[in-house]
Amino acid sequence: MPKKIKRNWYVPKDRPITDFDRRILSYQNRGKLVPSPKLIKTPEQIEGIRRSGVINTGVLDLVASKICAGMSTAEIDRMVYDYTVSHGAIPAPLNYEGFPKSVCTSVNEVVCHGIPSEDEILEEGDIINVDVSTILDGYYSDASRMFIIGGKTTPEKERLVSVAKECLEIGAQAAKPWGFIGDIGKAIAKHAHRNGYGVVRDLAGHGVGNEFHEDPEVDHYNTHKDGMLIVPGMVFTIEPMINMGTWEVFVDEEDEWTVVTEDELPSAQWEHTFLVTETGLEVLTY
Ligand code: MF3
Ligand code: CO
């Protein structure tokens, strides 16, 4: 049986068919996975997501200016909450599917979804991912950065942090309008594996903007599949999690959130929210 692919695209009733429709329909008719019309953001939605992204970037810049050894991850959480709320926005993680804090803080072997805590004190040489997501006027943005506490760590962890950043950049360069989401993971996996690193498979980038998590799923490893057609007006994240050792991870049974590397070797992640333009990707979270 040939695999059935969902026919996501249709011509909205309130307007005549355009060349843009025809172009997407031609992919769909050849059996490719295409976006649904609601994944193509209107200019008004793009402006909203962009403004949300400005606050999101402000949060990360604030964290960058304050983060240091001796600080608890709960202090980072308070900083994120206060800045976000005082700028008229809402931290998207807070109460999201029961997540108890305003930001994810993931230290060393924690891959992602680390929960800020008074008991977790940052030490020199720690590497930490701070993952910030913001809702402004109903529009979502999502980005994360790595920080090296005290500015210096082991050469091995320093290299992991910079290769993970290169993976995000290389993934973003691989994404082209009228290309496929699968091109992103292919490029990322190649770079990570050349450096001897594992690429996490259990968590993916995602469409974002009108909701926290939308289609498409953006895998960071080589799935050997095309994935969804990339079309101007789509907004999604790329957020590769790169492990020093194995790609395998587990979820902490007690808090049901914290994702940890199976071998407990360090992991690093960088993330941006991107708009697909006629020529490539534009970062909405600088
Ligand atoms: N910010 C994460 C992402 O990049 C999502 C975190 S979900 C939360 O998609 F509930 F843990 F915040
Ligand atoms: Co994300």
Side-chain angles (χ1 to χ4, degrees):
M1 272 264 282
K3 201 169 94 225
K4 259 224 173 113
I5 287 202
K6 262 190 80 190
R7 295 178 66 84
N8 286 331
W9 194 261
Y10 58 89
V11 182
K13 278 199 211 70
D14 57 351
R15 60 166 179 78
I17 187 164
T18 62
D19 287 345
F20 182 76
D21 293 314
R22 288 194 185 87
R23 193 162 180 187
I24 297 173
L25 287 169
S26 78
Y27 283 96
Q28 175 159 280
N29 291 336
R30 282 178 273 148
K32 303 294 188 189
L33 179 64
V34 303
S36 65
K38 73 171 198 300
L39 296 186
I40 313 301
K41 268 62 179 179
T42 65
E44 184 189 340
Q45 290 168 341
I46 291 167
E47 226 13 72
I49 302 164
R50 199 186 289 286
R51 289 176 52 233
S52 173
V54 170
I55 294 175
N56 206 72
T57 300
V59 174
L60 279 163
D61 287 344
L62 173 68
V63 171
S65 74
K66 301 275 181 190
I67 198 166
C68 62
M71 179 180 277
S72 75
T73 49
E75 279 175 71
I76 297 172
D77 181 65
R78 281 191 287 275
M79 223 149 53
V80 170
Y81 179 85
D82 291 345
Y83 183 99
T84 304
V85 168
S86 74
H87 285 76
I90 303 165
L94 190 58
N95 302 320
Y96 174 78
E97 293 186 3
F99 192 80
K101 298 285 180 182
S102 297
V103 63
C104 297
T105 50
S106 304
V107 180
N108 296 328
E109 73 280 3
V110 177
V111 173
C112 64
H113 300 171
I115 304 174
S117 160
E118 302 290 352
D119 302 331
E120 185 175 43
I121 309 297
L122 297 174
E123 291 175 17
E124 294 211 2
D126 281 342
I127 60 170
I128 178 177
N129 174 273
V130 178
D131 190 343
V132 176
S133 319
T134 299
I135 316 171
L136 179 70
D137 301 332
Y139 294 111
Y140 289 77
S141 56
D142 190 1
S144 78
R145 297 181 199 164
M146 295 298 297
F147 300 102
I148 297 174
I149 303 305
K152 240 183 111 57
T153 185
T154 64
E156 290 80 10
K157 280 156 95 177
E158 236 159 65
R159 194 171 75 89
L160 177 69
V161 169
S162 48
V163 171
K165 191 173 193 196
E166 290 163 10
C167 282
L168 172 56
E169 292 158 357
I170 286 166
Q173 278 165 16
K176 303 279 184 225
W178 311 107
F180 289 91
I181 291 289
D183 303 338
I184 298 169
K186 212 171 288 176
I188 289 171
K190 190 171 161 194
H191 189 61
H193 293 155
R194 275 190 8 179
N195 280 280
Y197 295 147
V199 180
V200 173
R201 295 171 170 239
D202 302 44
L203 298 119
H206 50 91
V208 65
N210 301 331
E211 293 166 48
F212 199 170
H213 297 109
E214 308 173 6
D215 278 344
E217 175 175 321
V218 181
D219 287 310
H220 304 110
Y221 64 101
N222 188 353
T223 59
H224 300 283
K225 293 193 180 83
D226 286 333
M228 192 176 278
L229 180 70
I230 300 175
V231 173
M234 288 168 76
V235 176
F236 56 78
T237 74
I238 305 175
E239 47 182 303
M241 286 142 274
I242 306 300
N243 294 353
M244 196 177 284
T246 180
W247 60 271
E248 290 167 289
V249 301
F250 67 94
V251 179
D252 182 297
E253 277 179 23
E254 254 154 54
D255 66 26
E256 293 180 334
W257 277 105
T258 310
V259 179
V260 185
T261 56
E262 189 67 52
D263 55 14
E264 300 195 15
L265 289 175
S267 181
Q269 176 182 30
W270 296 79
E271 172 181 22
H272 275 308
T273 295
F274 296 94
L275 166 68
V276 182
T277 71
E278 300 293 334
T279 50
L281 295 194
E282 183 191 342
V283 183
L284 297 183
T285 44
Y286 271 135

